[in-house]
Amino acid sequence: MRAALRERRGWARWALRAAPRPRCVGPGSAPALRCWSCGGLLPGAEGLPHFCPGCRALQPPGPRPDLFRLMQCDRSFRLDAQQLQRRFRSLQRALHPDRFGQRPPKEQHYSEQHSSLINKAYQTLLNPLSRGLYLLELKGVEPVQETDCDADTEFLTEIMEINEKLAESKNEDILEEIETLIKVKQEELTKEVTAAFERDDLQEAKKLLAKMKYFANLEDKLKIKKMPS
């Protein structure tokens, strides 16, 4: 009986020595990423579309990927639209769900997630307003509110006058005139927002983006107005 007990204790001590110790993770460091399919180690490229180097299985997108990094753009308001479009097409060719029809269901699901994320990234960064709002979010600035430009009474008067003209008129020439005005104003504001970001004046950028939101709302109203009844 005692011999059996000693044998068990000896086996337990051997098992503790032989068992692999968990790898220590330092403060602030992320645990090693592993492939969902084969368990192999993955390169540290969280948030980017990547395949397992061992089994070539598509991995899931990260929880909060940086859209600028995903689209291989500098984290800047000034952006090369053609470069963004090339990256978008390249990613969609590689990750579109149609390419994963014969793959395991989990991989098909990850492909759909990536494709949706790529569309979101492209639309967010292509549009100056959404790009500016996202850039402020990354920099930790509170969300833009239309009330951020309440102090500019001249601007608000201009918006009110355009709104009134838009509500009252059904004349196509006047609607075209309003459309041109909105486009010119948005282009002017885009230049001003670019300058504000480049001198790192985030509060000024925030006020200007609030103005852009007003004109974006006018654009939406104009589109509804021009729709055939």
Side-chain angles (χ1 to χ4, degrees), residues 21-55:
R21 295 184 180 181
R23 195 178 71 173
C24 293
V25 178
S29 63
L33 297 174
R34 291 190 174 273
C35 173
W36 62 267
S37 179
C38 71
L41 283 172
L42 297 171
E46 187 179 353
L48 296 179
H50 60 278
F51 295 82
C52 173
C55 69

Side-chain angles (χ1 to χ4, degrees), residues 137-158:
E137 179 188 334
L138 290 177
K139 291 177 179 288
V141 178
E142 291 182 2
V144 171
Q145 306 292 335
E146 290 184 350
T147 52
D148 289 331
C149 55
D150 274 359
D152 193 337
T153 54
E154 185 179 342
F155 169 78
L156 293 176
T157 300
E158 180 183 25

Side-chain angles (χ1 to χ4, degrees), residues 10-175:
W11 182 88
R13 284 194 295 270
W14 176 86
L16 283 171
R17 287 196 302 268
R21 295 184 180 181
R23 195 178 71 173
C24 293
V25 178
S29 63
L33 297 174
R34 291 190 174 273
C35 173
W36 62 267
S37 179
C38 71
L41 283 172
L42 297 171
E46 187 179 353
L48 296 179
H50 60 278
F51 295 82
C52 173
C55 69
R56 299 304 299 162
L58 178 64
Q59 303 303 303
R64 286 181 62 84
D66 183 326
L67 302 186
F68 284 98
R69 186 180 177 205
L70 173 64
M71 304 307 286
Q72 293 184 340
C73 297
D74 293 334
R75 192 184 277 193
S76 165
F77 187 75
R78 193 183 291 274
L79 181 140
D80 185 334
Q82 291 185 339
Q83 178 187 334
L84 176 66
Q85 190 175 59
R86 286 194 296 270
R87 173 65 171 169
F88 170 71
R89 289 175 176 171
S90 172
L91 287 174
Q92 284 291 28
R93 279 196 300 269
L95 297 162
H96 195 276
D98 289 349
R99 295 178 61 90
F100 292 82
Q102 305 302 314
R103 303 293 293 173
K106 183 176 282 193
E107 202 167 355
Q108 293 178 30
H109 177 60
Y110 291 153
S111 170
E112 290 169 0
Q113 287 184 320
H114 278 294
S115 186
S116 175
L117 176 62
I118 292 160
N119 279 321
K120 175 190 172 184
Y122 179 68
Q123 296 299 332
T124 298
L125 299 187
L126 184 65
N127 180 276
L129 174 57
S130 55
R131 180 169 71 245
L133 296 175
Y134 179 61
L135 194 53
L136 286 182
E137 179 188 334
L138 290 177
K139 291 177 179 288
V141 178
E142 291 182 2
V144 171
Q145 306 292 335
E146 290 184 350
T147 52
D148 289 331
C149 55
D150 274 359
D152 193 337
T153 54
E154 185 179 342
F155 169 78
L156 293 176
T157 300
E158 180 183 25
I159 292 295
M160 187 172 62
E161 289 173 353
I162 298 172
N163 253 318
E164 289 173 354
K165 189 182 290 187
L166 189 55
E168 294 168 0
S169 179
K170 291 186 178 180
N171 184 291
E172 286 190 14
D173 290 338
I174 294 176
L175 294 179

